[in-house]
Amino acid sequence: MLKTVCGGARVVLGGVAVRRWGVRSLHMTVATPAERKLNQPLTATQMPRPGGIASFMRLPVQTGTEGLDACFVGVPLDTGTSNRAGSRYGPRQMRCESPMRPFNQGTGANPFECLNVADVGDVWVNLYNLPEACRNIRDQFRDLISNGCVPLTMGGDHTISYPILQAIKEKYGPVGLVHVDAHPDLQDEVLGSKIAHGTPFKRAYDEGLLDCTRVIQIGLRGTALTADDCNIGRSMGFRVVGAEECWYKSLAPLMVEVREQMGEGPVYLSFDIDAIDPAFCPGTGTPEIGGLTSIQALEIVRGCWGLNLVGCDLVEVSHRCRLQNPICLL
């Protein structure tokens, strides 16, 4: 769920501080409710939870990002999936599961008190041509973020992070990356294809979309093609924290180190639902046992407070997400 702390020039989305970026400076102008009307989710006191239009949290729907601080946007693409398909229905199902109360009792925050947020629907993608679909995503995200709006993206398989990062880099330059996943997604190709859900961060690395000194991968585990699969990122300058390093402990201390590593620069958060153990989140295409707990997942998200978030995604949630509730991470 979105969480927000309003004060000064910093606001928090999902536990992550967000600022709008100016030229060589950081600033965030957040109007108070008295200054402008902020969109509010439709609550169960206004409409029973099964009713209403299935936008995210039953927020207003609009076609662009004018006047918005952040937007929920879906990318219904799973053509890059290597195992179980179904994440093309992830955005739709997350919306259906999303009617929630606006206050987060763990943080005491209500993001809709100082942020204007809406659901801008889904981007158009060509499901039958993956390279073209990536161009579709990149071009539409250019428009979504042109005014500084922060996209909160619902996937879709992990392929989508690559074209989103292309658009992000054009606006903000190379970004830091907090990548939470069971898999490194750093393959050079899959069955001869350079674009698939196992390759997005290799493409991002090759194209200079990332500030490699500010990249961390958390939760990697499971079987691999070679003994060094989870070490590929280290050779690129990334910090890699395997799942076994996370067992039996709080991840709050790790997130202190992540905030220090990311510093003041722009950061993108990419959260693959399979980072969480399938005992908690079975609705994903490539499940791996021995993963993060749901509590650790929340520690990561809340631990990103203070980062200059310019975008994020939650990916690989398949139509099987009826068996889980991943929207708490948004």
Side-chain angles (χ1 to χ4, degrees):
M1 179 178 176
L2 280 165
K3 302 179 290 296
T4 183
V5 175
C6 299
R10 178 169 289 174
V11 296
V12 176
L13 291 170
V16 183
V18 178
R19 291 175 180 154
R20 287 191 178 172
W21 283 70
V23 179
R24 300 177 63 87
S25 66
L26 305 175
H27 69 278
M28 180 70 177
T29 302
V30 182
T32 65
E35 296 171 332
R36 61 173 177 161
K37 182 179 179 181
L38 302 179
N39 294 331
Q40 300 297 312
L42 191 63
T43 68
T45 60
Q46 299 167 303
M47 170 69 73
R49 289 194 183 194
I53 300 298
S55 62
F56 195 87
M57 288 191 75
R58 300 188 295 184
L59 283 162
V61 177
Q62 63 184 66
T63 57
T65 58
E66 182 180 356
L68 298 180
D69 300 306
C71 69
F72 289 101
V73 55
V75 184
L77 177 75
D78 62 7
T79 316
T81 302
S82 60
N83 192 24
R84 299 188 312 205
S87 59
R88 67 180 62 186
Y89 295 104
R92 178 178 295 178
Q93 192 62 31
M94 279 189 262
R95 289 181 172 106
C96 290
E97 298 285 345
S98 70
M100 298 181 295
R101 303 173 183 91
F103 277 93
N104 185 307
Q105 294 191 73
T107 63
N110 177 353
F112 306 104
E113 290 181 334
C114 61
L115 291 172
N116 202 30
V117 188
D119 189 328
V120 297
D122 294 341
V123 301
W124 187 94
V125 291
N126 185 342
L127 293 175
Y128 308 106
N129 185 321
L130 199 50
E132 182 179 332
C134 285
R135 292 191 292 271
N136 299 151
I137 296 166
R138 179 198 62 201
D139 293 347
Q140 290 168 84
F141 268 78
R142 281 174 177 158
D143 292 337
L144 290 174
I145 68 174
S146 62
N147 63 352
C149 182
V150 176
L152 310 174
T153 305
M154 301 173 282
D157 70 56
H158 224 148
T159 307
I160 72 172
S161 296
Y162 164 50
I164 294 172
L165 284 168
Q166 287 181 313
I168 292 281
K169 194 255 186 178
E170 289 180 13
K171 184 169 182 62
Y172 299 102
V175 295
L177 174 70
V178 179
H179 173 207
V180 190
D181 203 328
H183 311 98
D185 293 349
L186 288 168
Q187 292 176 256
D188 185 54
E189 62 179 40
V190 178
L191 297 178
S193 175
K194 293 284 189 177
I195 300 176
H197 78 158
T199 70
F201 300 113
K202 181 60 164 64
R203 299 285 78 78
Y205 172 81
D206 289 345
E207 295 182 18
L209 310 182
L210 304 175
D211 175 354
C212 295
T213 65
R214 296 192 304 117
V215 175
I216 184 168
Q217 296 183 307
I218 303 172
L220 306 189
R221 65 188 188 278
T223 57
L225 294 173
T226 73
D228 284 332
D229 272 16
C230 288
N231 292 318
I232 298 173
R234 292 189 177 98
S235 68
M236 298 174 173
F238 303 173
R239 182 179 179 183
V240 178
V241 180
E244 293 188 24
E245 296 179 62
C246 303
W247 288 0
Y248 314 116
K249 65 179 68 171
S250 167
L251 298 189
L254 170 65
M255 295 312 296
V256 172
E257 298 173 5
V258 170
R259 291 193 296 272
E260 292 175 354
Q261 178 185 1
M262 296 298 151
E264 294 293 323
V267 178
Y268 189 85
L269 171 64
S270 185
F271 202 119
D272 188 322
I273 200 68
D274 70 24
I276 304 175
D277 191 273
F280 300 96
C281 292
T284 189
T286 315
E288 301 277 4
I289 64 169
L292 305 177
T293 68
S294 55
I295 293 172
Q296 289 175 317
L298 288 176
E299 286 183 313
I300 291 173
V301 173
R302 293 179 184 181
C304 287
W305 191 93
L307 300 184
N308 293 308
L309 184 72
V310 295
C312 68
D313 62 51
L314 177 62
V315 297
E316 301 288 350
V317 177
S318 81
H319 66 285
R320 298 172 180 85
C321 66
R322 293 181 184 86
L323 303 177
Q324 66 194 38
N325 188 2
I327 57 173
C328 62
L329 297 173
L330 290 168

